[in-house]
Amino acid sequence: MAFTKKSGFLLCFWGMHFFFLLLGCTSRSLREFKSSDVTSNNPAVKLHIEKKQVIAENDIIRVTFSNPEGTVLGITYNGINNVLEGRNKFNNRGYFDIVWNAPGRPSKLWGGSSGLYIYAVFEHPEHFPALEIDHIRIVFKLQNDRFHYMAVADDRQRLMPTPEDRSLGQRLDYDEAVLITSPSNPELQGEVDDKYQYSCENKDNKVHGWINLDSKTNESVGFWMITPSNEFRSGGPIRQGLTSHVGPTTLNILHTTHYSGKEVTMKLQEGEPFKKVYGPVFAYLNSISGIHDSERVLWSDAVLQLSKEVNRWPYDFPKSEDFVPTNKRGRLEGQLLIQDRHIKGGKFVYGDNAFIGLALPGDVGSWQRQSKGYQFWTEADKLGHFTIENIVPGEYNLYAWVPGIFGDYKYSTIVIITPGCNIQLGSLIYNPPRNGPTVWEIGIPDRSAAEFYVPNPYHNLINRLYTGKPLHKFRQYGLWARYTELYPNEDLIYNVGVSDYSKDWFYAQVPRKIGNNKYHPTTWEIKFHLPFVTRGRYTMRLALASATRSNLVVGFNNPVARPPHFSTGSIGQDNAVARHGIHGLYWSYSIEVPSNLLVEGSNTIYLRQAKGISPFQGIMYDYIRFERPEV
Ligand SMILES: *[C@@H]1O[C@H](CO)[C@@H](O)[C@H](O)[C@H]1NC(C)=O
């Protein structure tokens, strides 16, 4: 562990610098705090510096940090002496966590009103060694005896098992998934608990947390993680990450390889200069007297608080010069149109609800693997109009994709954002990949396998939260095993024009279980009829929504061609099958099919996922389209 000092205010852990900031304070490490710095900036916040700890408090809340490490030892709120788990070691209650090659280590900070604003400036100075970082997150571990009700979204909240319930339960196919067999609350008997069932896409990961319903005092308290902007999160709007889970733990995932794999690891070369501000995010506490219906009240209040924080973004209180204030940020607007000669006869079509984003310059679609820069995303309106505000100055590429349209868009010119700029891009035209008319298609090109067949969960392996919620069915445990039941001997065959992908196309191409614990690769078939073959090149557009240690080999009317007609090669580590995701990273391919591989009459495309030694290996399809040559 290297300690260096720079302008007197920096601590350094393994090559990363952290600024510690308290609301209303100038940026400096905790050991540099003086009460006078704080009170002069923000009279509401009082700071007590002691040898081993620093206490920040206002009329509502008191936060105790260790000095000089800066971990959060305690939060006193609404008569609760410490909402954090006091039985945990001092460095395991509230902290900033970076997981790199070796296990993570803490460091953190904040200050607030009825909560704590947290941010860190990570710096990798020029003389520092190479680093590989898999996760960056903020962690809060709440009092186990108090916080039992968890809320992640309007339709994703429930009474949760306790850590003891988990330790008494039965481990399922991996450590994270546990069958609750002797719960303290009998209502939870026979349910599965797995933290990945509460994952969320960045764009929706804005507020989540826990509620303490205290019947003794007749008081309820909520603890919420509020994220007013996604600009500092890596991987773009649909990168998935954890939220809250049994612990009771509340996380803020700022960077992660979950649902993506090592290919999105943040790699800093030796001497590579890097600096980025993560946050501020807001750990918010609220309370209400009574315990009846207070879950709903506290959740609604947290959602309201989120909108207040969003409206205040970018915050004006960070004193760090690395956090760019509103008046030094830029703005951009434009309109995305789509032109495809086989959609509406080649007329312009609006980029209805397109996702439009700025991210570091790179290849088309590269934003989903980016871990270093800021990203600024928005969704276009029905007419494809978009506005992106509060952009940190710098050089970006503008990327986009449109739900319902195959492929990825990138604006060819680098976008340079300067302080106060207001860039009018006008109409941008996306010409999606297209070689000829559609012969047939399967699925919806939207980067998810949700439209395909997601089976019912096993009744003895259920999370009741998702019962009766079809859109969340994919979050149930063990669905992958249904494949072998549905297709015990023969693999899936899809007959174009007859089959219905919402019923006949399994959501994931996983291996088939053979005997006790052996798995076998599977080959799916698409059968279709061609009344005639046009000489030339046909094209198969193939989009995958996920891949885990897979190799998809495609054959046209020949399952065993040597060499294969097409192969993706070894791809993917996103682990979306085991993590109850409905997508991981997006992969798209355009495969040329010479007409001599096709026949008049009945044709078969063989889709062999050639690697299959584990139940969690496999791919999810997003969309397949077959195009004939233009005539
Ligand atoms: C608990 O608080 C609520 C709301 O203030 C109140 O209506 C109720 O009577 C209280 N219950 C008890 C048992 O004190």
Side-chain angles (χ1 to χ4, degrees):
M1 181 152 97
F3 267 76
T4 61
K5 277 211 158 196
K6 197 177 151 197
S7 56
F9 302 137
L10 286 165
L11 280 175
C12 182
F13 296 87
W14 338 288
M16 297 292 279
H17 282 192
F18 301 85
F19 275 101
F20 296 126
L21 295 121
L22 199 62
L23 178 61
C25 302
T26 49
S27 63
R28 51 194 57 204
S29 78
L30 269 182
R31 65 175 67 184
E32 309 288 341
F33 277 140
K34 295 187 194 75
S35 306
S36 57
D37 295 332
V38 181
T39 48
S40 63
N41 278 327
N42 187 342
V45 179
K46 294 197 185 71
L47 205 66
H48 314 280
I49 317 274
E50 294 165 13
K51 196 152 193 253
K52 287 271 162 67
Q53 59 186 33
V54 173
I55 299 167
E57 64 181 333
N58 61 18
D59 293 345
I60 306 164
I61 186 168
R62 186 169 78 229
V63 186
T64 308
F65 303 94
S66 64
N67 188 7
E69 298 89 349
T71 66
V72 181
L73 302 173
I75 300 174
T76 303
Y77 176 75
N78 200 49
I80 302 178
N81 191 37
N82 191 0
V83 302
L84 304 184
E85 183 50 84
R87 285 173 292 200
N88 286 6
K89 289 211 173 99
F90 80 90
N91 59 358
N92 190 24
R93 298 178 196 172
Y95 54 94
F96 225 112
D97 186 25
I98 298 173
V99 181
W100 54 300
N101 291 338
R105 281 260 204 112
S107 182
K108 33 275 127 195
L109 251 271
W110 30 41
S113 43
S114 55
L116 322 152
Y117 291 94
I118 308 156
Y119 72 110
V121 182
F122 285 22
E123 188 171 11
H124 186 257
E126 283 176 21
H127 56 282
F128 269 69
L131 270 185
E132 294 192 356
I133 301 166
D134 286 346
H135 306 281
I136 301 176
R137 60 199 171 195
I138 297 163
V139 183
F140 281 99
K141 299 200 172 166
L142 305 175
Q143 247 198 59
N144 187 2
D145 297 339
R146 288 184 179 272
F147 292 89
H148 301 304
Y149 187 90
M150 192 179 93
V152 173
D154 284 331
D155 61 346
R156 298 175 74 190
Q157 4 188 313
R158 61 168 296 160
L159 207 57
M160 295 290 283
T162 64
E164 292 69 37
D165 294 345
R166 277 184 62 95
S167 50
L168 293 171
Q170 176 199 331
R171 179 194 180 275
L172 297 171
D173 279 357
Y174 40 82
D175 288 343
E176 291 89 340
V178 169
L179 181 64
I180 304 297
T181 52
S182 8
S184 40
N185 177 347
E187 279 177 40
L188 307 180
Q189 177 68 36
E191 289 203 61
V192 170
D193 180 68
D194 183 335
K195 62 185 176 183
Y196 292 98
Q197 294 184 320
Y198 303 101
S199 295
C200 199
E201 291 180 344
N202 282 346
K203 69 182 167 60
D204 302 319
N205 190 343
K206 295 173 176 170
V207 52
H208 58 88
W210 289 86
I211 291 172
N212 164 33
L213 305 165
D214 190 335
S215 53
K216 284 200 204 92
T217 60
N218 196 27
E219 291 268 335
S220 303
V221 167
F223 182 98
W224 308 104
M225 180 56 71
I226 291 180
T227 309
S229 165
N230 265 326
E231 66 183 38
F232 40 81
R233 282 188 171 141
S234 63
I238 59 170
R239 168 74 55 83
Q240 296 152 94
L242 294 171
T243 56
S244 291
H245 62 267
V246 171
T249 300
T250 287
L251 303 173
N252 199 322
I253 301 293
L254 302 164
H255 164 65
T256 184
T257 57
H258 287 153
Y259 300 97
S260 297
K262 280 275 182 189
E263 64 195 282
V264 309
T265 294
M266 181 171 158
K267 296 190 173 106
L268 293 166
Q269 308 301 322
E270 183 177 345
E272 179 180 341
F274 171 77
K275 192 192 260 187
K276 183 171 171 181
V277 181
Y278 289 91
V281 302
F282 189 39
Y284 173 62
L285 289 96
N286 58 6
S287 60
I288 187 170
S289 121
I291 56 171
H292 174 67
D293 202 29
S294 19
E295 302 95 319
R296 193 187 54 79
V297 178
L298 294 179
W299 166 255
S300 305
D301 175 69
V303 170
L304 183 68
Q305 189 66 35
L306 164 66
S307 64
K308 291 179 187 165
E309 301 300 325
V310 169
N311 288 335
R312 285 180 69 193
W313 187 268
Y315 293 130
D316 57 8
F317 58 78
K319 293 292 191 282
S320 164
E321 62 199 29
D322 294 311
F323 184 78
V324 182
T326 310
N327 63 2
K328 299 237 170 70
R329 294 180 176 223
R331 182 180 185 280
L332 166 156
E333 63 178 53
Q335 181 187 27
L336 186 71
L337 301 173
I338 297 150
Q339 189 176 32
D340 176 329
R341 61 185 179 274
H342 295 289
I343 298 178
K344 298 245 164 85
K347 293 204 196 89
F348 287 124
V349 176
Y350 298 124
D352 181 1
N353 294 322
F355 286 82
I356 319 268
L358 295 176
L360 288 181
D363 294 338
V364 66
S366 59
W367 52 270
Q368 65 169 347
R369 290 183 173 78
Q370 286 184 14
S371 56
K372 292 180 188 168
Y374 299 99
Q375 296 201 19
F376 299 87
W377 286 86
T378 191
E379 279 173 65
D381 67 13
K382 297 264 169 243
L383 302 180
H385 289 293
F386 60 88
T387 304
I388 306 180
E389 294 180 301
N390 295 314
I391 310 159
V392 169
E395 291 192 4
Y396 299 92
N397 267 136
L398 183 139
Y399 303 93
W401 90 92
V402 190
I405 302 287
F406 176 84
D408 268 293
Y409 172 78
K410 184 180 102 167
Y411 181 53
S412 54
T413 312
I414 295 277
V415 176
I416 299 170
I417 300 293
T418 54
C421 73
N422 186 5
I423 296 173
Q424 310 287 329
L425 283 179
S427 296
L428 311 177
I429 294 160
Y430 174 38
N431 298 113
R434 174 68 77 173
N435 290 336
T438 300
V439 182
W440 48 260
E441 58 187 347
I442 298 171
I444 303 165
D446 61 356
R447 298 170 186 248
S448 145
E451 70 271 31
F452 296 125
Y453 179 68
V454 180
N456 287 325
Y458 294 92
H459 73 274
N460 59 341
L461 290 173
I462 212 158
N463 182 331
R464 285 188 205 114
L465 174 59
Y466 299 128
T467 304
K469 293 177 186 156
L471 292 178
H472 291 295
K473 207 188 203 181
F474 66 85
R475 302 185 194 279
Q476 296 282 8
Y477 176 87
L479 304 184
W480 55 83
R482 293 284 196 199
Y483 181 78
T484 304
E485 292 174 7
L486 283 166
Y487 304 95
N489 306 307
E490 310 268 310
D491 281 324
L492 185 152
I493 297 175
Y494 189 88
N495 289 292
V496 170
V498 178
S499 303
D500 171 350
Y501 62 72
S502 69
K503 299 194 188 99
D504 304 317
W505 191 273
F506 200 73
Y507 77 105
Q509 186 172 357
V510 288
R512 177 188 292 103
K513 190 172 184 182
I514 313 267
N516 236 357
N517 222 359
K518 283 189 75 180
Y519 291 86
H520 201 267
T522 53
T523 303
W524 290 11
E525 294 175 27
I526 300 170
K527 292 192 180 293
F528 60 101
H529 183 267
L530 288 180
F532 55 89
V533 176
T534 308
R535 285 177 67 90
R537 288 182 193 286
Y538 285 69
T539 307
M540 179 168 151
R541 308 288 177 190
L542 169 69
L544 302 180
S546 165
T548 302
R549 300 188 305 283
S550 293
N551 178 15
L552 181 62
V553 180
V554 183
F556 300 92
N557 289 323
N558 181 353
V560 292
R562 293 278 180 274
H565 294 145
F566 173 81
S567 146
T568 61
S570 291
I571 56 166
Q573 309 171 311
D574 65 44
N575 220 10
V577 171
R579 299 318 196 189
H580 328 294
I582 198 66
H583 73 85
L585 293 180
Y586 177 72
W587 308 78
S588 71
Y589 303 91
S590 292
I591 305 164
E592 283 191 0
V593 189
S595 55
N596 63 9
L597 295 180
L598 301 170
V599 295
E600 195 178 301
S602 177
N603 290 266
T604 303
I605 297 177
Y606 297 91
L607 301 165
R608 176 176 162 82
Q609 200 294 94
K611 298 169 127 195
I613 54 165
S614 132
F616 310 121
Q617 248 170 313
I619 56 177
M620 293 182 197
Y621 292 89
D622 169 34
Y623 175 69
I624 304 174
R625 182 170 73 212
F626 204 64
E627 298 168 12
R628 65 175 162 80
E630 205 78 70
V631 281

